[in-house]
Amino acid sequence: MNDIERHKRAAAEAAAALVEDGMRVGLGTGSTVAHLLPALAARALSELRCVATSPATESAARALGLTVEELDAVGELDIAIDGADQVDPSGWLVKGGGAAHTREKIVASASRRFVVIVSAEKVVQALNPPVPLEVLRFGARHTLAAVGEARLRGELESPDGNLIADYLGPVEDPISLSGRLSATPGVVEHGLFAPELVSDILIAGEHGVERRAGGKRTV
Ligand code: 5RP
């Protein structure tokens, strides 16, 4: 295992330790979450109720003996844990490298506490393109022209069968970009996550796991 994978695993294990029996837990998607699932299963918490953000996470979680249910059956989540592609100094994230950012944003917002787990190389001074977009198939060419500086990511589909594209233009002002992308008809969701969605960011590197507070007030 290389250093980055070791760091992903360290962040994932630190997050798994935050979970208590009886909690309703949102599970993200990606290679960092792939380390979370066995760490969570190893805790042998018999009353956990999990919600998965992708079919890949759902089948991996079930294979490890975790109970996975629909979000609407579970209701509010106590904690959700997920990776990210980029984390900036003010706590903005870019997510969606794994094409699941719409479900991930719904799960993050349905959760009282949203914990982001990253290896240290995901921390950037300023967010950079690409920003993933989930786009409705109907009129997708028109939608991407309206977004500008965007291209489809091949045949890749979201877990809900929509297209995945990448916005490639400037990202210096994530508040206004986020507003513009959300207001573009046909964009189902974009991969910019505001600090207000995030409770904690666990960043694992050479010197262990550092915790940064996010902007979400956990009640
Ligand atoms: C999936 C995501 C992932 O959390 C993000 O792409 C990070 O992935 P990884 O843990 O594999 O580096 O947003 O849609």
Side-chain angles (χ1 to χ4, degrees):
M1 191 183 287
N2 66 28
D3 281 351
I4 290 178
E5 284 307 311
R6 257 192 292 280
H7 297 159
K8 287 180 178 183
R9 188 176 65 183
E13 288 175 350
L18 300 173
V19 177
E20 293 166 19
D21 207 5
M23 280 185 165
R24 295 155 300 175
V25 185
L27 303 172
T29 292
S31 59
T32 314
V33 168
H35 292 291
L36 171 71
L37 302 178
L40 202 50
R43 303 227 15 235
L45 305 171
S46 58
E47 303 296 328
L48 283 191
R49 300 175 71 191
C50 299
V51 170
T53 52
S54 62
T57 293
E58 180 172 348
S59 54
R62 284 192 202 281
L64 288 161
L66 294 166
T67 302
V68 181
E69 299 177 54
E70 293 293 321
L71 177 58
D72 283 346
V74 173
E76 190 190 37
L77 301 173
D78 298 292
I79 190 168
I81 304 169
D82 202 351
D85 301 306
Q86 301 179 50
V87 178
D88 88 354
S90 56
W92 276 88
L93 313 177
V94 172
K95 285 185 47 54
H101 58 275
T102 302
R103 287 191 181 197
E104 291 168 344
K105 202 176 276 188
I106 293 169
V107 163
S109 81
S111 186
R112 292 172 60 237
R113 184 176 186 185
F114 178 45
V115 179
V116 175
I117 49 176
V118 288
S119 47
E121 95 288 350
K122 302 285 187 65
V123 177
V124 295
Q125 276 315 303
L127 299 180
N128 296 295
V131 174
L133 306 173
E134 179 164 347
V135 175
L136 211 63
R137 284 177 185 278
F138 179 85
R141 200 178 298 173
H142 180 84
T143 301
L144 294 186
V147 167
E149 300 181 83
R151 71 161 175 246
L152 281 179
R153 220 193 285 166
E155 293 304 305
L156 189 64
E157 275 189 359
S158 75
D160 297 290
N162 293 309
L163 296 171
I164 296 294
D166 287 307
Y167 165 78
L168 301 167
V171 196
E172 290 99 59
D173 182 350
I175 297 178
S176 90
L177 178 60
S178 167
R180 185 171 83 73
L181 293 172
S182 294
T184 306
V187 173
V188 176
E189 192 51 84
H190 58 78
L192 288 167
F193 281 48
E196 294 70 35
L197 270 176
V198 179
S199 309
D200 312 83
I201 306 173
L202 303 181
I203 302 165
E206 286 301 293
H207 305 293
V209 181
E210 175 205 339
R211 176 188 169 273
R212 280 195 201 163
K216 181 167 183 154
R217 295 288 148 251
T218 306
V219 281

